[in-house]
């Protein structure tokens, strides 16, 4: 998997999700709510890492240094 291509696709999907109009606490399918929580978490992690934040512990312990 090309991580750069994956990140580009993730960002495209995050942007597209803004148009879906999920309303927290509505009576929509619970799976939809879970997906929107996942979207929020991925978006937050992307912003954190893009601004120089540290990797999550699970990723950092397996990171390869050159």
């Amino acid at each position: 998997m090309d991580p750069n291509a994956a990140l580009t696709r993730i960002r495209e999907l995050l942007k597209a999700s803004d148009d879906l109009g999920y309303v927290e606490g509505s009576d929509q399918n619970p799976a939809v709510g879970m997906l929107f929580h996942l979207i929020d978490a991925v978006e937050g992690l992307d912003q954190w890492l893009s601004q120089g934040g540290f990797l999550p512990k699970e990723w950092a312990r397996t990171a390869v240094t050159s």
Side-chain angles (χ1 to χ4, degrees):
M1 177 181 94
D2 177 351
N4 293 312
L7 181 57
T8 297
R9 183 64 179 138
I10 288 167
R11 288 178 174 168
E12 290 169 353
L13 291 168
L14 289 172
K15 187 172 180 160
S17 73
D18 292 338
D19 297 333
L20 296 177
Y22 175 73
V23 178
E24 182 72 36
S26 68
D27 59 351
Q28 293 177 341
N29 183 319
V32 173
M34 287 176 56
L35 289 173
F36 274 91
H37 288 295
L38 176 61
I39 289 167
D40 288 342
V42 170
E43 189 170 36
L45 182 60
D46 179 42
Q47 289 173 358
W48 170 258
L49 294 173
S50 294
Q51 295 172 6
F54 55 86
L55 291 174
K57 288 180 185 179
E58 287 293 315
W59 291 359
R61 67 180 173 89
T62 59
V64 177
T65 56
S66 330

